Amino acid sequence: MQQIDCPWCGKRNETEFSCGGELISRPQDALGADDKAWTDYLYFRTNTKGVHTEVWRHTFGCRQWFKAERNTLTHQVVNTRKLSEETGEGHGDHG
Amino acid sequence: MAKPDHRLPQGGRINRDKPLSFSYDGAVYQGYEGDTLASALLANGKRLLGRSFKYHRPRGALSAGVEECNALVRLESGGYVEPNARATLVPLYQGLSAKSQNCWPSVDWDIQAINGLAARFLPVGFYNKTFMWPSWRFWEGFVRRAAGLGEAPEAADAQEYHKRHAHCDVLVIGAGPAGLMAALQAAGSGARVILADEQEEMGGSLLWEQDEIAGIAAAEWVRSALGELAAQNNVTLLKRCTATGYYDHNLIVMAERVSDFLGPKAPVDVPRQRLWKVRAAQVVLATGAIERPLVFPNNDRPGVMLAAAVRQYLNRYAVAVGQRVVVACNNDSAYRTALDLQAAGVEVVAVVDVRADSQGSWVNQAKSAGIRILNNHAVTNTKGRKGVTAARVAPYSGETPGVARWLDCDLVAMSGGWNPVVHLYSQSGGDLDYVEADGVFVPQGRDYIQTAGSVNGRWLLAECLREGAGAGVKAAQTAGFEAAAPAPENASADTLKQGPTLPVWKLVDESSDKQWIDFQHDVTLSDVELAARENFISVEHFKRFTTTGMSVDQGKTSNINGLATLAQVLGKAIPQVGATKFRPPYTPVAMGALAGPDLGPFYRPKREMPCHDWHAAQQGDFDDAGYWQRPSCYPLAGETRQQAIKREALMVRRGVGLFEGSPLGKIEVRGKDAAEFLNRIYMNNVPSLKQGHIRYALALNDAGAITDDGVFTKLGEDHYLLSPSSAAAERFVGSLEEWHQTAWPHYEVIISPVTTQWATLTLAGPKARQVLQKLDADIDFSKAAFPHMAFRSGALEGVPARISRVSFTGELSYEVNVPASYAEALWRRLLQAGEPEGIAAYGLEALIILRLEKGYLHIGADTDGNTIPDDIGWGAPARKKAVDYIGRRSLDLPVYCQGRRLQLVGFKLLGGRGEQCIEVGAHSIESADTASGMRSTGFVTSSCFSPHLNQPVAIGRIEDGRNRQGEVVALYYDRKTCRAEITAPVFYDPEGERLHA
Ligand SMILES: [Zn+2]
């Protein structure tokens, strides 16, 4: 079982965390978004093979959501940041 | 009692002052403290210790350790049974009782040995092929009776198991020469060190090899090293502790046999085993090596044993397994067996060595000692019905002239070289290198794992000590400690030399059925050849087809011989074939140890409501509602469940009932942005709610589907109390936190779940007010002062109370919330106050009837992941609210605005008899013609017989339902169809007069 580095608590066992899927951003102007933009947000993910950015939550710890770069091939979590911190890959901020 | 006749008069690490008696297959024997079951049986001349899995061939102990594949026994009886115990690892204790396995009626005379005679009918893959025709089911009965290693215990395990989590800087696995040196060096740096070893005593080979370190006997050196380690506070020594699994980021799982060595007589307060989960900054693997058998015809007879095992029985347990020994080998280490045996007065018939010569130290010693050495020779067969009586010896590679001859002997001590124990390293994901000269796979090395000693293919003691010390220093340094490079170690054996090993995989040319590779699963050389012929040439396919290495021993002696043989058959180099991946566990782990104490009531914690003791005293039925234990009904004496449920439901309609709803969600949201934040969470308007009032609310997900319903209350300025449904209480907190953190972190709100701080006692029924008014309170309960959907707080019987006038029954109803610790006292007070009104408690079942009569929804039962507000009649307010709340945008998607959607309706059964109800799950169908197929246009989601209305009631969702009221539909369920009229989904008090009473 790998350890994941919670940006708030430090390294903890993976079983304390839950994965919230790929990092996406809810359209700022949701009511103004056209159907395609809105359904893209709801349903379409990049399904990356390799490292991509996800949101994880330290559910059985500080209960904070944070960004985690995870390799979908090896399941290794290679980097974690607070939601307010920029990711290296230019993903939009989650809100 | 049989007299031990193989025990040497002196020597060994056994305690001759402590004789122990034990039984094996009903006969009583004697051994000593310090024996294993195997060494004690061998000392008593018992060498037929088991029958093989498939052919029931007679088998004896092959080894003296963890790799044992033949000597499996069933220990003890009743709650203490352990099947498949390796006799080589079972420490002897007074009164131990063991039985042989896999044989009937006895190990000496076994009926299924007939399989052995029919061996050619059971080649590898026989399951896959033979039982294809006529069908597997036809064969299953026969096969099940014959299959399986050992038998599962019948009784529950009577012993206790514990678990422990630990952290350390350096975890050293294996306390042989390399591991001890590593631990000494790492401990000296101040690092927290755990040293774990699977044996009864630490020391590894030093306990039985005739070695010296720093001028003292090896065993003495071990004693002083362990003394030094034990004296340091930063060191934990765990003997009898097997590291069985290596997981990500240096998480090691280890099984410690805490009191197995005491057997069933262990004190009850001591666990049998303890499962350790250790997170280590650095791991030193000093796991050693396991000797490799030679492959030749009839190499599985009792009396064919690994050479180092013979030496270990001799030196550690003072047991001479044989009196006339042939040593068969391809390397120098086996010569030590010949030397030690000779020194102990045992006749060494010959050392049969496939190599032309060797100038190694032990070989030269053997030559000087006059031991007969047959170079360029190999053992090519054995004789003997239940044990070896002779070994056939023949020239190897045809270089030495001479013919095959039989040498009389009662023991063949064989060594085909050594297999480094790379299991844990491989589990860590590490890659292996193949060393051609020794024919071994060794670890490549990883930055968070050090490996040292014979796991690296180091065969000489001096190398192992040096490497161990280096690994200990490096591990400590990498873990952040200052460790000095070790002084050149004091290994006496430094001057020893070893000649090269000659890896051999096959000693005779003809292929014969009887050359065993996997002793435990009865896989032979010809099976490997057959697998190759049938194109199972990937090593992982080969393993599964032949089942090599898939038994209890996990191929500790067979894996390398198997894949090397495969390589040879395929004409490939061994690294091209590769090794199979090693998987946890390294050795079998008791199920009890994995479960630990999380059994029975501790398996899954139960939540008891604040008034649980009162409910339990009524002997009501409890339902599992999530983690909560909730009473379903409270039958009176002589009442059936159904009668009780009906009585409770009628009581609420006619008088008053009391219900504990403490699991109901309670979440406080406070802060200057609370109203704005909640307005984004709920479909319903939040800012317009006035203080002291309550509003019903739906929560959606962003796809527009209803996820929960509940109420929210405005407690004060910027202060709200949310009440999601009981089942959603925790999920809803998570959802609030998620949206706050991920979408609107700038909102200043604090979310506090307080579900369990407050107990919820619900008084429901037309007489509810009368009961409340009898209590001492500073709250005005009159209709005018405290209307439906209002909230009041105050003191009730001197206890702080939060009271909501909300209803899930359709009756006048008060949800009284008090701090949980006051709940039972208030509960009893309410029952007392309501006595004249005929109050009684009602359970979940009655509540379900009451809410259904009123047409109140149960989100998740009456709705699903496709249900949007409009489907249940909330379309207008959902669309009217122009704020971007969760799910709002999706409601405008075409899929939700078009077509005949499933809409909430009631169903009135036509022509029902007695208390017949519509089945939940019944589908409305367009035609009952099953042949042409049926199209469902909707379904029933909740249904019951209403005792108050004396008629069945049901709700469900059906296409365009709101426009079809009055229409009669056919409802199909389990090949039966009934007719029902579509109605409004409210059967009781549609005007809400009772609610607002
Ligand atoms: Zn955390």
Side-chain angles (χ1 to χ4, degrees):
Chain A
M1 175 173 46
Q2 70 179 323
Q3 289 184 306
I4 294 174
D5 196 358
C6 172
W8 304 90
C9 306
K11 285 184 179 171
R12 296 292 188 275
N13 284 346
E14 187 184 332
T15 46
E16 294 185 14
F17 297 84
S18 14
C19 178
E22 191 176 324
L23 175 69
I24 46 169
S25 64
R26 193 174 188 274
Q28 288 287 349
D29 177 17
L31 299 184
D34 63 24
D35 286 351
K36 183 176 183 309
W38 185 251
T39 49
D40 275 357
Y41 150 72
L42 284 179
Y43 301 115
F44 288 86
R45 302 293 179 268
T46 58
N47 200 22
T48 305
K49 180 180 180 182
V51 176
H52 76 158
T53 306
E54 297 175 335
V55 282
W56 281 65
R57 175 185 218 192
H58 193 189
T59 312
F60 301 103
C62 63
R63 296 184 69 82
Q64 291 299 305
W65 288 90
F66 59 90
K67 295 177 191 173
E69 284 161 51
R70 185 178 70 94
N71 188 326
T72 59
L73 281 175
T74 63
H75 186 48
Q76 193 185 4
V77 174
V78 293
N79 197 2
T80 54
R81 294 163 208 261
K82 294 176 182 173
L83 283 181
S84 55
E85 291 171 330
E86 285 299 309
T87 49
E89 300 156 60
H91 278 266
D93 196 12
H94 200 84
Chain B
M1 193 176 289
K3 184 167 164 48
D5 54 353
H6 288 253
R7 187 79 74 179
L8 300 173
Q10 71 272 323
R13 299 182 65 79
I14 49 168
N15 182 358
R16 289 173 201 261
D17 296 332
K18 265 215 152 166
L20 304 170
S21 63
F22 67 98
S23 76
Y24 175 72
D25 278 347
V28 176
Y29 301 92
Q30 199 196 25
Y32 294 106
E33 187 181 77
D35 261 325
T36 62
L37 176 59
S39 70
L41 285 167
L42 288 166
N44 282 282
K46 284 292 294 180
R47 61 175 182 175
L48 172 56
L49 297 181
R51 290 278 176 170
S52 73
F53 174 52
K54 204 156 91 179
Y55 304 130
H56 290 245
R57 302 253 302 180
R59 293 283 168 79
L62 178 73
S63 75
V66 69
E67 69 271 36
E68 182 55 36
C69 44
N70 293 335
L72 302 186
V73 297
R74 178 181 175 92
L75 286 178
E76 304 300 343
S77 56
Y80 296 90
V81 165
E82 184 177 353
N84 292 333
R86 286 145 294 170
T88 53
L89 294 183
V90 177
L92 202 64
Y93 50 84
Q94 178 61 33
L96 180 147
S97 158
K99 273 195 262 241
S100 53
Q101 296 190 152
N102 225 31
C103 49
W104 187 84
S106 79
V107 70
D108 288 304
W109 197 83
D110 174 37
I111 283 183
Q112 288 196 35
I114 197 86
N115 278 0
L117 305 174
R120 66 201 169 87
F121 296 118
L122 296 173
V124 64
F126 73 111
Y127 290 105
N128 317 37
K129 295 177 192 166
T130 315
F131 305 123
M132 295 289 284
W133 186 90
S135 77
W136 164 249
R137 231 171 265 167
F138 176 82
W139 292 101
E140 189 176 357
F142 301 94
V143 175
R144 290 264 181 256
R145 228 165 297 141
L149 218 47
E151 275 175 47
E154 294 85 15
D157 197 332
Q159 300 153 107
E160 269 193 40
Y161 299 84
H162 288 186
K163 283 187 186 178
R164 184 145 170 202
H165 293 254
H167 292 258
C168 67
D169 300 306
V170 180
L171 170 64
V172 181
I173 297 170
L180 282 171
M181 282 305 282
L184 284 167
Q185 294 298 331
S189 75
R192 291 170 303 162
V193 175
I194 295 177
L195 174 60
D197 188 271
E198 70 183 348
Q199 298 235 2
E200 291 296 302
E201 286 185 89
M202 290 191 168
S205 63
L206 299 177
L207 297 175
W208 45 271
E209 292 286 29
Q210 306 284 350
D211 282 319
E212 280 191 358
I213 300 173
I216 55 171
E220 270 307 305
W221 182 85
V222 170
R223 202 198 317 270
S224 87
L226 288 174
E228 195 180 318
L229 288 167
Q232 300 179 61
N233 288 334
N234 55 332
V235 178
T236 305
L237 297 176
L238 296 175
K239 61 178 178 180
R240 305 187 176 110
C241 185
T242 310
T244 62
Y246 201 128
Y247 303 90
D248 289 334
H249 291 171
N250 281 2
L251 178 72
I252 316 294
V253 171
M254 314 198 293
E256 183 190 4
R257 299 179 302 283
V258 182
S259 67
D260 283 56
F261 70 103
L262 296 170
K265 293 203 179 73
V268 285
D269 55 344
V270 176
R272 179 189 180 215
Q273 297 183 4
R274 178 181 291 124
L275 196 75
W276 288 75
K277 294 182 183 179
V278 181
R279 185 75 74 172
Q282 284 279 310
V283 174
V284 177
L285 293 178
T287 44
I290 287 172
E291 201 162 32
R292 182 188 294 163
L294 290 165
V295 181
F296 56 87
N298 294 304
N299 59 341
D300 67 327
R301 284 195 205 287
V304 179
M305 192 181 271
L306 293 170
V310 171
R311 202 152 78 239
Q312 191 174 165
Y313 284 119
L314 188 77
N315 295 333
R316 183 170 181 179
Y317 304 108
V319 175
V321 180
Q323 297 304 318
R324 311 187 65 215
V325 184
V326 167
V327 177
C329 67
N330 66 344
N331 66 84
D332 280 14
S333 71
Y335 285 78
R336 303 190 80 177
T337 302
L339 287 164
D340 291 354
L341 285 169
Q342 197 189 47
V346 175
E347 183 191 343
V348 178
V349 179
V351 176
V352 182
D353 191 338
V354 294
R355 302 174 299 175
D357 196 13
S358 165
Q359 294 301 323
S361 310
W362 296 311
V363 179
N364 287 333
Q365 281 174 37
K367 287 174 187 165
S368 332
I371 291 172
R372 181 183 179 199
I373 298 169
L374 298 171
N375 285 111
N376 286 324
H377 271 67
V379 169
T380 58
N381 206 342
T382 63
K383 267 205 278 220
R385 215 167 67 81
K386 285 176 185 168
V388 171
T389 56
R392 191 177 70 168
V393 172
Y396 181 71
S397 344
E399 284 169 23
T400 307
V403 290
R405 68 203 113 134
W406 287 92
L407 301 177
D408 287 347
C409 63
D410 60 1
L411 182 68
V412 174
M414 63 176 167
S415 176
W418 292 82
N419 295 330
V421 178
V422 294
H423 302 62
L424 290 173
Y425 174 80
S426 172
Q427 287 177 24
S428 83
D431 290 321
L432 301 170
D433 278 332
Y434 186 70
V435 179
E436 194 77 49
D438 291 330
V440 295
F441 284 99
V442 296
Q444 282 181 354
R446 315 198 77 183
D447 51 8
Y448 48 90
I449 306 172
Q450 314 299 326
T451 52
S454 46
V455 68
N456 282 347
R458 307 282 171 247
W459 312 123
L460 291 173
L461 176 58
E463 293 174 328
C464 292
L465 292 167
R466 245 193 327 269
E467 229 179 57
V473 168
K474 188 157 181 229
Q477 285 173 343
T478 317
F481 293 82
E482 280 185 29
E489 193 42 56
N490 45 23
S492 71
D494 246 344
T495 52
L496 281 176
K497 287 194 173 32
Q498 247 193 317
T501 297
L502 176 65
V504 285
W505 311 112
K506 189 176 175 182
L507 295 176
V508 291
D509 273 340
E510 80 263 27
S511 90
S512 126
D513 274 346
K514 313 271 186 222
Q515 306 191 45
W516 262 262
I517 285 178
D518 185 321
F519 294 83
Q520 205 164 65
H521 257 176
D522 267 343
V523 180
T524 64
L525 185 98
S526 55
D527 290 328
V528 176
E529 289 168 342
L530 176 65
R533 278 203 306 278
E534 302 207 346
N535 211 30
F536 288 94
I537 54 174
S538 140
V539 69
E540 296 288 355
H541 292 164
F542 156 78
K543 169 182 163 172
R544 283 157 185 81
F545 184 65
T546 61
T547 73
T548 303
M550 288 174 67
S551 188
V552 180
D553 66 354
Q554 287 287 292
K556 291 187 176 55
T557 53
S558 61
N559 272 346
I560 302 296
N561 277 343
L563 70 93
T565 306
L566 178 67
Q568 221 166 31
V569 174
L570 299 175
K572 281 187 180 173
I574 289 170
Q576 277 178 273
V577 172
T580 53
K581 176 114 181 106
F582 293 94
R583 291 186 178 82
Y586 171 62
T587 52
V589 183
M591 288 296 196
L594 296 174
D598 311 330
L599 298 171
F602 304 107
Y603 173 64
R604 187 177 118 142
K606 288 183 170 169
R607 284 183 137 174
E608 294 179 350
M609 299 195 294
C611 302
H612 182 85
D613 291 348
W614 188 93
H615 303 308
Q618 310 309 305
Q619 294 164 352
D621 287 331
F622 283 98
D623 279 343
D624 286 329
Y627 285 89
W628 291 102
Q629 298 290 293
R630 306 194 64 166
S632 54
C633 59
Y634 303 86
L636 301 173
E639 218 178 26
T640 65
R641 260 178 68 89
Q642 283 314 315
Q643 287 167 339
I645 293 165
K646 193 168 173 178
R647 171 182 53 77
E648 291 170 14
L650 286 171
M651 169 184 72
V652 173
R653 290 276 177 252
R654 295 170 186 174
V656 59
L658 184 59
F659 176 80
E660 178 163 16
S662 298
L664 194 71
K666 301 165 204 91
I667 306 162
E668 288 191 33
V669 177
R670 271 189 118 133
K672 81 174 178 60
D673 299 315
E676 199 179 334
F677 173 60
L678 293 175
N679 210 28
R680 295 206 180 259
I681 298 297
Y682 282 129
M683 186 210 83
N684 309 70
N685 193 307
V686 176
S688 65
L689 184 71
K690 299 209 165 44
Q691 189 167 328
H693 287 265
I694 301 171
R695 186 163 285 167
Y696 176 79
L698 292 175
L700 317 182
N701 60 25
D702 231 353
I706 302 165
T707 56
D708 192 40
D709 68 346
V711 298
F712 63 95
T713 305
K714 186 164 183 181
L715 295 179
E717 204 49 41
D718 303 330
H719 190 185
Y720 290 84
L721 175 67
L722 320 186
S723 280
S725 60
S726 305
E730 282 167 46
R731 192 178 64 227
F732 201 73
V733 177
S735 167
L736 289 172
E737 289 171 337
E738 178 176 4
W739 287 116
H740 181 224
Q741 291 175 32
T742 63
W744 299 293
H746 56 281
Y747 283 154
E748 288 183 21
V749 291
I750 291 170
I751 300 156
S752 318
V754 294
T755 301
T756 51
Q757 274 85 334
W758 295 87
T760 305
L761 312 184
T762 304
L763 267 177
K767 294 177 181 166
R769 183 179 292 119
Q770 277 156 260
V771 177
L772 261 185
Q773 281 172 335
K774 286 184 194 166
L775 268 58
D776 174 23
D778 57 4
I779 299 167
D780 182 355
F781 292 108
S782 69
K783 184 177 173 182
F786 196 164
H788 183 55
M789 297 307 263
F791 170 89
R792 299 291 178 265
S793 63
L796 194 62
E797 297 285 306
V799 172
R802 289 175 163 184
I803 303 177
S804 302
R805 222 192 118 177
V806 290
S807 177
F808 196 50
T809 58
E811 297 297 335
L812 166 67
S813 171
Y814 298 89
E815 283 181 4
V816 181
N817 293 273
V818 292
S821 54
Y822 294 112
E824 196 176 330
L826 181 64
W827 178 273
R828 290 176 185 278
R829 177 75 187 94
L830 287 167
L831 287 178
Q832 185 197 28
E835 221 175 334
E837 280 73 33
I839 196 171
Y842 64 99
L844 272 183
E845 293 288 343
L847 181 70
I848 288 168
I849 291 173
L850 294 165
R851 71 97 190 169
L852 186 53
E853 288 172 343
K854 183 67 181 165
Y856 284 154
L857 292 186
H858 186 188
I859 302 297
D862 299 313
T863 67
D864 60 31
N866 276 319
T867 311
I868 59 168
D870 185 54
D871 301 339
I872 60 165
W874 282 85
R879 280 181 216 278
K880 202 178 123 201
K881 184 170 156 184
V883 176
D884 170 25
Y885 61 87
I886 300 301
R888 172 68 187 89
R889 174 63 187 86
S890 290
L891 299 179
D892 292 334
L893 291 174
V895 66
Y896 289 145
C897 305
Q898 301 163 356
R900 287 156 62 87
R901 291 193 57 82
L902 299 178
Q903 293 172 337
L904 182 70
V905 295
F907 292 103
K908 185 177 167 192
L909 181 65
L910 301 178
R913 259 179 254 151
E915 298 197 354
Q916 187 193 342
C917 296
I918 305 174
E919 298 284 353
V920 172
H923 277 256
S924 149
I925 50 171
E926 285 182 330
S927 106
D929 181 6
T930 49
S932 67
M934 295 185 286
R935 197 181 83 84
S936 166
T937 60
F939 42 83
V940 177
T941 56
S942 292
S943 170
C944 73
F945 188 84
S946 160
H948 179 75
L949 303 170
N950 199 29
Q951 71 175 62
V953 292
I955 58 174
R957 283 178 297 129
I958 193 164
E959 285 179 4
D960 203 22
R962 278 200 291 275
N963 294 325
R964 293 169 63 191
Q965 292 193 9
E967 197 178 305
V968 173
V969 288
L971 295 174
Y972 174 90
Y973 183 87
D974 194 19
R975 282 164 294 199
K976 289 199 189 85
T977 306
C978 67
R979 281 154 38 83
E981 183 190 323
I982 300 177
T983 67
V986 185
F987 304 94
Y988 176 73
D989 186 29
E991 292 77 31
E993 285 167 13
R994 317 251 330 168
L995 198 60
H996 291 91

